[in-house]
Amino acid sequence: MNENIRLLKPLFRGLPIVILVVVLSILFAKKYLNYVTPMYESTAKLRLADVHEGVPGANLFKDLDVFASANKIATEIEVLKSSTLIENTLNQLPFGIEIYRKGGMRSSELFNNSPLHIEGTFQTDKAYDNRYRLKVTSKTQFTLIKPEGKTGIKGTIGKPIAIDGAKFLITLNDEFIKSKKHAKIIDTYEFEFLSKEKLMAKINKDLDIVPVDKDVPVIRINLKSAVPEKAALFVNKLAEMYIKDYIEGKYRAANVTVDFLNKEIDTADKKLTNSEENIQNYRDDRNIINVTQETETDLRKISQLKIQQTNMKMNLDAIKDLNKYIASGKNNYLDLAANFEAFTDLLSTEMVKNMKKLQSDKKDLLLTYTPEHEKVKIIDQKIKDLTDYQIESIRNTEKNLQVKYDDLSNDITQSEKVFIGLPEKEKMLNILNREFNMYEKNHNFLNEKRIEAEIARAAKIAFHKIISPAEISKDPVSPIRGIIIVVAAFLGLMGSIILIYVVHIAKAKVNDSYTIEKNSTVPIAFSTPFIKKNESIMDNFLKEAIQMELKGMIQKQSIIVVSSYDKSKEHLFHSVNLAKAFVAQGRKVMVVDVTGGMDGVISTNDYINYADIKFLSNTKTVFQDEIKAKLKDYDLCLINNQSVNEDGLGLLFMSIASQNLMVLDSRKTAEKSIIAIELLKDEYHLPNVWFVLNKAGYNPSVFNEIKKVWTKYIRKQNK
């Protein structure tokens, strides 16, 4: 805690300076704020169109708007920053001329608050970007001064005036003057017509276009300007021009697209018609109705014919086998067991039954008659007739089946001829149909896109939207008054504190007992506080005399030498008051004065003065013997020594002392003196050296120090 207080002492001492510097910093900041031009900022927020998301009811237009695209936000920001869009925006705003009211320290732009209208025409571009000075001397007269000229050209308000390739017409702003009863017209003005390049450079310098968030399609348009109306006007107009440019661009693109699509549709119609005619002609030439159906029908017909042919073949083969069988056993027909499965005629069946019946009747007759009997022969004849008829019938059936089989084979052959050239037909039809389908799809696609483009052209709307228009700012964004004042006060505070500690470190005085103990092993005998009242001097030094006695510093006939490092005046106060304190204790004190500063303070009998220059030739032994000879009649000897650094006898008297008191002034003695005294003690083997800290704990105000310096200066001037 004591260490912290010790470190803060310089700050406490320089607190008035800190307060003064802080106050001056605040006053300077306020003065600066009175003359600096404030900057105002206006912000507009623009929501970008999104083809994937939209407000309810907008999806129809968004889906059909083939020109809307999900561009990245960065791309749209670059569009907003483009010189073309900014130039178009500036063409819509009255920013080409700047009129200022000139003051003593700064000029203020008037914009819409100007009592004057200034118009200009220029024969050369060099006339732009020049600030002309205008002194209005009356409501009818003025003086126009060139940018770097001293003398001007006198003119009349309402009449043109030519100067350096430019012609200006200056008139009164009657509407403003009527609205402002106390409008000041007679004054000094400045005006400048800005070229497009300079105007765009000024805008680009203070224009900031940033996204609200990288994933949110909302852009923030910011502009700083000394005139708040300008900032609001520009950002709103820029957002408006961006949307207008988007609509115009979309309309132009839609219009061009519709024209292009109409031409393409006409071409597609011709190609589609030609393709239809090619298909018709090919079908007519080859009598094609429907290849697929016709092919299926022919295949089904051939399949049925082949089935019939197969059945016919089976019957034909069966009848052939039957015929061969019967032919081989023709003479014994009744003994044959022919398979009539392939010969299923009803008449043949009946005939076989009759033949079997006749055969049975013959057997019955043979039981009665001989084979040669007439009845038997009649039956044989009947059987023979039936047999011959049966055999002939089988032959005829075989021929009939053979004819049918041959007819079926011919029919199949003729039907199969239909498939000759069918792959080629299908190939050509596929080619023609593919060409037709391609032209048809192209035709349909172009018609759909034409409808979409016509809708987009007819819908002159944009899904970009100004969601937060800019408003005229009432409070400047720079300089921020509160922050400037706080920063100025803080800088003043820190600067003054740093200065105080720099001065404190640069002075490097003893300051306190901690500094002594840090730099030396020499002990401190006692510390004398700063004594404001003379009545307290004796009480303080009596206490210090007692402290010396308790520390064993005062013995019978001790020689106490009081010294200082730089000037003898620094320890004279202690020499005088210690001597008085010892006398007040009842001691008989012999005072030896090497400086002459104690002359008249002590009685003549107890006072020895070695201040004369003649004593410089004496040796240590001479002084030592003389003092010891006289000390026999005294309790102790106090020597008011010279300063160690300047005078010649200082170290000599310190070498003969019993106790050496080295007085260090906390406000005057340099810190380096402590080390110097330590080195002298070791070098010259000085006995019993003690430090005495004068003005311990004294931390005077800086103003008191200044007052003292000023008082000394006045005294010197008076002398």
Side-chain angles (χ1 to χ4, degrees), residues 427-643:
K427 176 183 176 183
M428 289 304 298
L429 279 175
N430 287 334
I431 292 172
L432 293 173
N433 287 328
R434 183 169 63 247
E435 186 181 53
F436 173 79
N437 291 332
M438 181 179 67
Y439 290 144
E440 185 180 32
K441 287 181 180 179
N442 184 40
H443 183 270
N444 293 336
F445 174 79
L446 291 173
N447 276 287
E448 289 176 1
K449 294 306 173 184
R450 180 176 63 179
I451 294 171
E452 293 175 1
E454 287 176 348
I455 293 174
R457 181 175 64 176
K460 293 185 178 180
I461 59 175
F463 296 101
H464 298 311
K465 183 179 179 182
I466 301 173
I467 60 175
S468 178
E471 297 180 355
I472 298 175
S473 178
K474 296 181 180 179
D475 299 319
V477 293
S478 67
I480 302 175
R481 190 176 184 86
I483 293 179
I484 293 294
I485 292 174
V486 170
V487 170
F490 177 76
L491 292 177
L493 174 66
M494 296 305 297
S496 58
I497 291 174
I498 292 171
L499 179 63
I500 287 170
Y501 277 97
V502 167
V503 172
H504 175 73
I505 295 171
K507 288 173 65 177
K509 301 301 180 182
V510 173
N511 297 317
D512 50 30
S513 57
Y514 174 81
T515 307
I516 299 173
E517 293 170 352
K518 181 180 69 173
N519 292 284
S520 177
T521 58
V522 175
I524 300 174
F526 52 86
S527 298
T528 304
F530 180 74
I531 304 172
K532 297 181 180 180
K533 298 180 180 180
N534 293 331
E535 296 80 5
S536 303
I537 295 176
M538 183 54 66
D539 293 338
N540 181 78
F541 277 93
L542 284 172
K543 292 178 184 178
E544 293 176 355
I546 292 172
Q547 292 177 19
M548 292 176 64
E549 185 175 5
L550 293 176
K551 291 180 180 180
M553 297 172 63
I554 301 176
Q555 302 293 332
K556 184 66 174 175
Q557 295 182 345
S558 295
I559 300 174
I560 300 174
V561 177
V562 182
S563 310
S564 60
Y565 187 76
D566 292 318
K567 296 179 180 180
S568 57
K569 291 181 179 180
E570 294 178 2
H571 64 269
L572 177 62
F573 177 75
H574 277 75
S575 297
V576 172
N577 289 290
L578 277 175
K580 290 181 178 180
F582 291 145
V583 171
Q585 286 181 333
R587 304 177 190 274
K588 191 174 182 181
V589 181
M590 182 180 73
V591 176
V592 177
D593 188 6
V594 188
T595 64
M598 297 182 68
D599 189 12
V601 178
I602 304 299
S603 62
T604 306
N605 295 332
D606 301 329
Y607 178 72
I608 301 173
N609 190 346
Y610 288 145
D612 197 299
I613 195 171
K614 64 181 181 180
F615 294 106
L616 287 174
S617 59
N618 290 353
T619 62
K620 173 182 175 181
T621 304
V622 172
F623 285 119
Q624 190 173 15
D625 291 343
E626 186 175 348
I627 290 171
K628 286 185 177 181
K630 293 181 179 181
L631 188 59
K632 293 178 180 179
D633 298 330
Y634 296 91
D635 295 326
L636 57 85
C637 174
L638 189 143
I639 301 176
N640 180 36
N641 197 13
Q642 295 177 344
S643 64

Side-chain angles (χ1 to χ4, degrees), residues 56-228:
N59 288 330
L60 172 63
F61 298 102
K62 290 170 71 63
D63 293 339
L64 297 179
D65 187 2
V66 296
F67 309 104
S69 59
N71 290 327
K72 293 182 180 178
I73 298 175
T75 304
E76 298 304 317
I77 289 175
E78 292 303 318
V79 173
L80 280 163
K81 289 181 178 179
S82 64
S83 57
T84 303
L85 188 61
I86 292 176
E87 184 176 350
N88 292 337
T89 303
L90 291 173
N91 291 335
Q92 303 292 321
L93 297 171
F95 289 178
I97 179 173
E98 294 179 350
I99 302 175
Y100 298 87
R101 190 185 295 275
K102 186 171 177 59
M105 294 296 293
R106 68 165 180 162
S107 299
S108 302
E109 187 175 353
L110 299 178
F111 195 52
N112 292 330
N113 298 321
S114 173
L116 302 174
H117 277 312
I118 303 176
E119 300 176 17
T121 57
F122 305 93
Q123 287 76 39
T124 175
D125 292 339
K126 293 182 179 179
Y128 286 100
D129 303 331
N130 292 320
R131 184 168 290 194
Y132 296 90
R133 199 185 320 166
L134 179 67
K135 288 185 178 180
V136 179
T137 55
S138 68
K139 291 186 178 181
T140 58
Q141 301 294 322
F142 64 85
T143 301
L144 183 63
I145 304 172
K146 295 179 182 181
E148 296 179 357
K150 294 182 179 179
T151 59
I153 303 172
K154 293 184 178 181
T156 303
I157 291 178
K159 292 184 179 181
I161 182 172
I163 181 172
D164 291 345
K167 185 179 288 186
F168 301 111
L169 177 62
I170 301 170
T171 57
L172 295 177
N173 188 352
D174 295 328
E175 293 182 3
F176 175 78
I177 294 171
K178 288 178 182 178
S179 64
K180 301 286 185 179
K181 294 182 179 180
H182 302 289
K184 187 178 180 182
I185 302 173
I186 300 172
D187 204 344
T188 301
Y189 302 87
E190 290 181 341
F191 67 90
E192 180 180 357
F193 282 86
L194 302 176
S195 62
K196 289 184 179 180
E197 293 77 12
K198 184 173 181 179
L199 182 57
M200 290 184 65
K202 289 184 70 173
I203 292 295
N204 287 326
K205 183 182 69 173
D206 298 318
L207 180 64
D208 186 24
I209 303 175
V210 294
V212 172
D213 189 84
K214 64 179 182 178
D215 298 324
V216 178
V218 176
I219 293 175
R220 186 166 49 226
I221 307 172
N222 306 316
L223 180 68
K224 293 180 181 179
S225 176
V227 182

Side-chain angles (χ1 to χ4, degrees), residues 507-510 562-572 595 641-648 650-651 654 661-677 680 691:
K507 288 173 65 177
K509 301 301 180 182
V510 173
V562 182
S563 310
S564 60
Y565 187 76
D566 292 318
K567 296 179 180 180
S568 57
K569 291 181 179 180
E570 294 178 2
H571 64 269
L572 177 62
T595 64
N641 197 13
Q642 295 177 344
S643 64
V644 175
N645 193 31
E646 294 182 353
D647 301 316
L651 292 173
M654 288 183 70
L661 298 181
M662 182 63 66
V663 178
L664 304 176
D665 194 295
S666 65
R667 306 304 312 159
K668 296 180 180 180
T669 307
E671 184 178 349
K672 61 183 180 180
S673 301
I674 300 172
I675 300 174
I677 293 169
L680 289 174
F691 282 129

